């Protein structure tokens, strides 16, 4: 960290852009929609547009990048992945669908949406928990926790940490952190309906346990007997990345050898859909749902609600080597910051995000020049897409070799699960050398000068990748992955 900045970082960043002749777009919002776009052409305009606060600034990794971690006890590798998605629960099927540019968005049929102005989403269909959840619990559980259990157990299986192997391991050294943005929404709704219609005596005894947001971690730990560091994080749409960052720190502090980590969400229910409609956050492209999620496209009109679960097994290199685990990729570092700006709107200047990216690279021990791929948060909202690209441009001065894409263009926005699903997509890009397209790129915003892999997959060697996730409340999170090199 540098000390207290002598000048406002926001003003310095924006003034630097203006001095180079690049106008900087600021925005005004109506809910999450863009009400007016303003083009700033002078440093004087900047001082009027924003009230500067003195904050701590980070030194750019370009100036003095620290060395990457070499201690095998502190190097964190990925040894397993599991998911539940709109494309099923098989990792390769999921990524192949993404590579093919296939949209999984469709009309909602879980409930009658006919009275809603938004009638589509990334609804999971034909989900099966067979072999992972016993029938009695399966009938009781909220889908949020069913998705978590299946994704988590599949990740453990992928890491060769199935039930028989775990029996012979020190489970106090294996932890669980699986978060959710909303928790068990269906369980909550059912409980409230029972209270209002029949009185408190008709509330299920499972009402509280099945809606609180920590229950994904709890049920996964209970079912697998894992007794290491265990908790849940809920930071809206940034949840899964916060969990990855926390889990890696547990390993690096020597408090765990293995962590089962990710996010889960089951949000295609009337209250969630209705709530996001009230926020004016969702696309209303009912006539063509598959084209509704269109990050960075001039005709985007909001995000598409999705759901699912994405879980990684993160492990110290020492532990993975001792047990002969297959190493898929390496987690190099991460960071979390806050916009301190607004409950739902991102900071239009992207400063909180750019500082988060800088800090993640510093934590990872890499420079911006080493990064060749970004899995962007890119929700398809007018405000968020602009702020994220502004932030990326502040960090990556030369973007000629950089590529970024938007997984949400095909699966929608899975809220607390999105970072988990996108981390898996990022790691698959590393291991396959193929980037999935950003679909529905028909009319790209002029300010987006980075290759967004429009509409068709591209072969691309990923040296270092970052995955961005941002959430309501100004939560920013960035995690850094790379190919594993002994």
């Amino acid at each position: 960290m540098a000390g207290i900045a002598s000048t406002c970082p926001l003003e310095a960043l924006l003034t630097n852009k203006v001095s180079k002749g690049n106008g900087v777009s600021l925005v005004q919002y109506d809910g999450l929609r863009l009400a007016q776009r303003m083009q700033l052409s002078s440093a004087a305009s900047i001082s009027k547009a924003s009230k500067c606060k003195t904050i701590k600034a980070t030194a750019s990794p370009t100036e003095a990048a620290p060395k990457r971690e070499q201690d095998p006890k502190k190097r964190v590798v990925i040894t397993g992945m599991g998911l539940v998605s709109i494309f099923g629960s098989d990792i390769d099927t999921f990524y192949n669908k993404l590579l093919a540019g296939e949209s999984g968005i469709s009309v909602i049929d879980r409930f009658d949406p006919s009275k809603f102005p938004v009638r589509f989403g990334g609804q999971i269909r034909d989900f099966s928990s067979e072999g992972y959840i016993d029938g009695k619990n399966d009938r009781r559980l909220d889908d949020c926790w069913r998705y978590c259990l299946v994704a988590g157990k599949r990740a453990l299986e992928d890491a060769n940490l199935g039930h028989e192997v775990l029996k012979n391991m020190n489970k106090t050294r294996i932890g669980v952190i699986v978060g959710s943005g909303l928790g068990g929404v269906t369980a909550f709704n059912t409980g409230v309906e029972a209270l209002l219609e029949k009185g408190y005596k008709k509330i299920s005894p499972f009402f509280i346990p099945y809606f609180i947001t920590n229950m994904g971690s709890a049920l996964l730990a209970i079912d697998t007997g894992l007794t290491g560091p265990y908790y849940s994080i809920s930071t809206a749409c940034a949840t899964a990345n916060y969990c990855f960052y926390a889990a890696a720190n547990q390993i690096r502090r020597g408090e765990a050898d293995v962590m089962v980590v990710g996010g889960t969400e089951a949000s295609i229910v009337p209250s969630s859909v209705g709530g996001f409609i009230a926020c004016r956050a969702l696309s209303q492209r009912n006539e063509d749902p598959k084209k509704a999620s269109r990050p960075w496209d001039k005709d985007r009109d909001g995000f598409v609600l999705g759901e699912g679960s994405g879980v990684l097994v993160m492990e110290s290199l020492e532990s993975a080597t001792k047990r002969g685990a297959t190493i898929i990729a390496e987690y190099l570092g991460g960071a979390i910051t806050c916009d301190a700006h607004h409950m739902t709107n991102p900071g239009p200047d992207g400063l909180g995000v750019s500082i988060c990216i800088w800090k993640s690279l510093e934590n990872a021990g890499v420079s911006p020049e080493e990064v060749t791929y970004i899995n962007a948060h890119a929700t398809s909202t007018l405000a968020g897409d602009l702020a994220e690209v502004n932030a990326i441009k502040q960090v990556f001065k030369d973007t000629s070799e950089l590529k970024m894409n938007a997984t949400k263009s095909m699966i929608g926005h899975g809220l607390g699960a999105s970072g988990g699903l996108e981390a898996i997509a990022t790691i698959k890009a590393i291991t396959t050398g193929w980037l999935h397209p950003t679909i529905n790129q028909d009319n790209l915003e002029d300010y987006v000068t980075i290759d967004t892999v429009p509409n068709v997959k591209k072969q691309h060697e990923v040296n270092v990748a970052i995955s961005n996730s941002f959430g309501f409340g100004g939560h920013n999170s960035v995690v850094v992955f790379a190919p594993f090199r002994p």
Side-chain angles (χ1 to χ4, degrees), residues 107-376:
V107 175
I108 295 169
D109 61 12
R110 186 174 292 160
F111 63 91
D112 179 10
S114 59
K115 296 182 180 179
F116 285 55
V118 176
R119 298 184 287 279
F120 59 91
Q123 177 186 318
I124 289 175
R125 293 179 167 83
D126 303 320
F127 168 73
S128 172
S129 62
E130 185 176 354
Y132 297 100
I133 309 174
D134 67 78
K136 185 177 180 180
N137 281 326
D138 196 40
R139 289 190 296 272
R140 290 175 174 170
L141 286 174
D142 189 284
D143 280 347
C144 188
W145 314 134
R146 295 171 76 218
Y147 299 162
C148 169
L149 285 171
V150 172
K153 291 181 179 180
R154 289 182 71 95
L156 285 165
E157 288 178 353
D158 191 45
N160 193 26
L161 290 171
H163 178 69
E164 292 302 315
V165 176
L166 286 175
K167 282 196 306 185
N168 299 313
M169 294 187 68
N170 181 358
K171 294 182 183 179
T172 67
R173 301 287 300 171
I174 307 175
V176 182
I177 310 176
V178 181
S180 175
L182 299 177
V185 184
T186 299
F188 180 79
N189 290 344
T190 301
V192 171
E193 287 171 4
L195 173 66
L196 296 177
E197 294 174 7
K198 300 177 182 178
Y200 77 93
K201 291 184 179 180
K202 294 300 181 180
I203 296 176
S204 165
F206 298 102
F207 170 51
I208 296 295
Y210 283 175
F211 90 74
I212 52 180
T213 56
N214 71 305
M215 201 47 61
S217 290
L219 293 171
L220 189 54
I222 290 166
D223 269 20
T224 54
L226 304 180
T227 58
Y230 145 70
Y231 48 96
S232 180
I233 295 173
S234 183
T235 49
C237 309
T239 291
N241 271 10
Y242 270 67
C243 293
F244 297 141
Y245 178 69
N249 288 338
Q250 296 281 174
I251 294 171
R252 287 175 169 174
R253 288 196 299 265
E255 297 166 356
D257 298 322
V258 182
M259 296 294 295
V260 187
V261 201
T264 187
E265 210 78 81
S267 50
I268 307 294
V269 297
S271 59
S272 296
V273 176
F276 282 109
I277 290 171
C279 286
R280 292 176 287 189
L282 300 183
S283 168
Q284 297 188 16
R285 198 182 289 261
N286 292 293
E287 71 284 356
D288 198 357
K290 292 187 181 300
K291 292 188 176 296
S293 185
R294 43 197 319 111
W296 305 305
D297 191 86
K298 289 181 179 178
D299 298 319
R300 68 194 184 281
D301 67 330
F303 73 80
V304 176
L305 198 59
E307 57 183 0
S309 182
V311 177
L312 302 180
V313 174
M314 304 176 74
E315 186 168 0
S316 73
L317 176 58
E318 181 182 66
S319 171
T321 302
K322 280 183 177 179
R323 68 181 188 88
T326 299
I327 297 173
I328 304 169
E330 184 167 4
Y331 168 94
L332 296 181
I336 56 177
T337 65
C338 178
D339 278 355
H341 172 70
H342 190 272
M343 284 193 300
T344 57
N345 295 336
D349 51 78
L351 182 65
V353 173
S354 64
I355 289 177
C356 193
I357 296 173
W358 271 328
K359 291 177 70 175
S360 74
L361 298 180
E362 184 177 48
N363 184 253
V366 303
S367 65
E369 291 77 16
E370 295 178 82
V371 177
T372 57
Y373 168 52
I374 299 173
N375 187 294

